[in-house]
């Protein structure tokens, strides 16, 4: 069979690439919450978010990163009786996660946030 050596080489290359792949580093919900509160830096919003919660949905590497290790995630912000699903980018700086806006192509609505 002539294709066996080529197939074996392709399979080995795919396997070796998978073996060295690093898992995607993403913030925990609490880390994301702290980063988002810092990003908004507005007293009314800060107070609402501190009492609320943040959920993390789908995350992926940013397609146009401005910082090393930057990821884009869908997030669920819950403050009081209000909730909203949006997205944000996250990267680590000085041991903490930093949040910023993003326009990545992420699922909406995200089934991971349901």
């Amino acid at each position: 069979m002539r294709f066996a050596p080529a197939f074996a080489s392709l399979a080995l290359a795919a396997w070796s690439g998978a073996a060295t792949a690093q898992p995607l580093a993403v913030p925990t919900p609490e880390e994301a919450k702290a980063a988002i509160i810092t990003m908004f830096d507005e007293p009314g919003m800060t107070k609402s978010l501190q009492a609320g919660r943040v959920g993390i949905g789908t995350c992926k590497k940013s397609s146009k990163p401005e910082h090393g290790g930057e990821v884009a995630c869908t997030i669920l912000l819950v403050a009081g009786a209000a909730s909203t699903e949006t997205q944000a980018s996250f990267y680590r700086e000085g041991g903490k996660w930093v949040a910023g806006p993003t326009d990545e192509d992420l699922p909406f609505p995200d089934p991971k946030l349901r």
Side-chain angles (χ1 to χ4, degrees):
M1 183 179 250
R2 298 176 80 183
F3 296 108
F7 178 74
S9 295
L10 182 60
L12 182 58
W15 177 79
S16 65
T20 60
Q22 298 279 330
L24 191 62
V26 299
T28 66
E30 284 301 313
E31 292 169 329
K33 179 179 172 180
I36 291 166
I37 288 171
T38 301
M39 176 183 73
F40 282 120
D41 191 30
E42 192 274 311
M45 181 67 84
T46 298
K47 196 174 207 179
S48 293
L49 284 174
Q50 284 174 336
R53 67 179 178 86
V54 172
I56 300 286
T58 300
C59 295
K60 69 177 193 174
K61 285 184 179 181
S62 292
S63 60
K64 299 175 190 167
E66 296 180 14
H67 305 277
E70 188 171 334
V71 295
C73 301
T74 56
I75 56 173
L76 177 66
L77 303 173
V78 179
S83 67
T84 187
E85 185 176 326
T86 188
Q87 56 188 34
S89 67
F90 296 94
Y91 64 92
R92 291 191 69 83
E93 181 176 86
K96 292 186 176 185
W97 286 96
V98 177
T102 186
D103 61 356
E104 289 287 336
D105 184 23
L106 292 164
F108 181 81
D110 188 345
K112 288 187 176 182
L113 293 171
R114 301 290 165 235

